[in-house]
Amino acid sequence: MRILVLGATGYLGGHVAERLSALPGVRPLYGGRSPGADLPVDLATARPGPLAEALAALAPDAVVNCAGAVGGDPVVLAEVNARGPAVLCAALREAAPAARLVHLGSAAEYGPGRPGERVREDGPTRPAAPYGATKLAGTVAVAASGLDAVVLRVGNPVGPGAPAAGLPGSVARALLRSGPGPEAVLRVGDLSPYRDFVDVRDLAEAAALAATHPGPLPPVLNISAGQAVEVRELVHALVRASGFTGRVEETASGSARSAAVGWQCSDISAARAALGWAPRHTLADSVAALWASIAAEPLAAGPGGVR
């Protein structure tokens, strides 16, 4: 089975590609902007015709689209998160209409949740910022494409290799640079919001199951831990894992997107029923793996920094 992973060198795509490479009978193909990719492509600027030609040459049985942007101005977000999936669907309809498409969406498409509640896939979508709005536009394009497609609406990914663009990765790297003594200070934003974290390895498993599932799937499936955790709990777990002995101050400015969403939690029963999937890693597992991966990175110690 030939499975094309778009965004294969990114955080999520890398884990998905690694999981697929371990499956017997699966040949992963890699797509993205990196040199040497089986399919060199930037979905933000690709045209449907040339992309269809390239896809026809690869003849994938399934495509997992992990390409996406989490930062940048609204134009960049729209180009990658909304236009990209629409172009991909148009090209697949022409080149490989029978291929399964697995597209990674985001729980940010739901917007603010009601404290204490888990949102289902048929719940209201009220994104609070351009990121969630553009991801929702991508989901709509995939759902309306007429392809054999499923959108995995992903919670907040955490785990080994988390990038600095997200809070878990940025906090871990800040802890790595912090001084070792009790006088050190870690300044962060408001940690009171609740988020539904999902280990990136569990996400990769869900994507692999969706790509190889023999029958039809629902158009959207929530992929998360199904539990809301105060962001403060994640940060203090990282503090403990790092051995940091200084103090944590919630005095830094946070993102407007985070401030607008105080509660986020997804119902994952549909993914369990459709894929036989359930998260295997606890938040403690995810934090330990994240810290181990960041601590192993080659990082030059700046003033007061540590290796």
Side-chain angles (χ1 to χ4, degrees), residues 14-141:
H15 281 276
V16 170
E18 181 180 3
R19 180 68 191 104
L20 289 171
S21 67
L23 297 180
V26 171
R27 180 188 172 190
L29 304 168
Y30 307 109
R33 293 175 293 180
S34 299
D38 297 296
L39 177 62
V41 65
D42 182 352
L43 289 181
T45 58
R47 302 297 300 173
L51 180 56
E53 293 178 6
L55 285 168
L58 289 179
D61 299 296
V63 176
V64 184
N65 182 27
C66 304
V70 297
D73 62 42
V75 173
V76 171
L77 291 170
E79 288 173 341
V80 179
N81 297 337
R83 180 189 183 277
V87 169
L88 174 60
C89 289
L92 279 172
R93 282 196 299 267
E94 180 179 341
R100 162 74 50 80
L101 171 60
V102 180
H103 174 72
L104 299 192
S106 170
E109 298 168 37
Y110 290 121
R114 294 181 178 179
E117 292 186 4
R118 294 183 175 93
V119 64
R120 301 192 321 178
E121 289 82 354
D122 58 358
T125 48
R126 298 169 296 193
Y131 170 71
T134 57
K135 291 297 289 184
L136 179 59
T139 288
V140 172

Side-chain angles (χ1 to χ4, degrees), residues 3 7 9 14 18 30 36-37 40 86 95 117 130 160 207 212 224-225 236-237 241 255 272 275:
I3 302 179
T9 59
E18 181 180 3
Y30 307 109
E117 292 186 4
T212 58
S224 69
H236 283 274
S255 72
R272 190 186 306 270
L275 299 174

Side-chain angles (χ1 to χ4, degrees), residues 227-304:
Q227 296 181 337
V229 175
E230 192 176 29
V231 176
R232 187 174 290 112
E233 182 176 334
L234 170 76
V235 171
H236 283 274
L238 274 168
V239 165
R240 292 190 296 273
S242 70
F244 178 75
T245 58
R247 67 182 187 275
V248 178
E249 293 184 355
E250 298 180 33
T251 55
S253 58
S255 72
R257 186 181 81 195
S258 295
V261 182
W263 174 275
Q264 196 175 74
C265 190
S266 297
D267 185 324
I268 59 174
S269 56
R272 190 186 306 270
L275 299 174
W277 175 88
R280 295 188 300 109
H281 296 87
T282 65
L283 184 60
D285 295 334
S286 304
V287 166
L290 167 57
W291 178 250
S293 68
I294 300 303
E297 287 182 353
L299 177 68

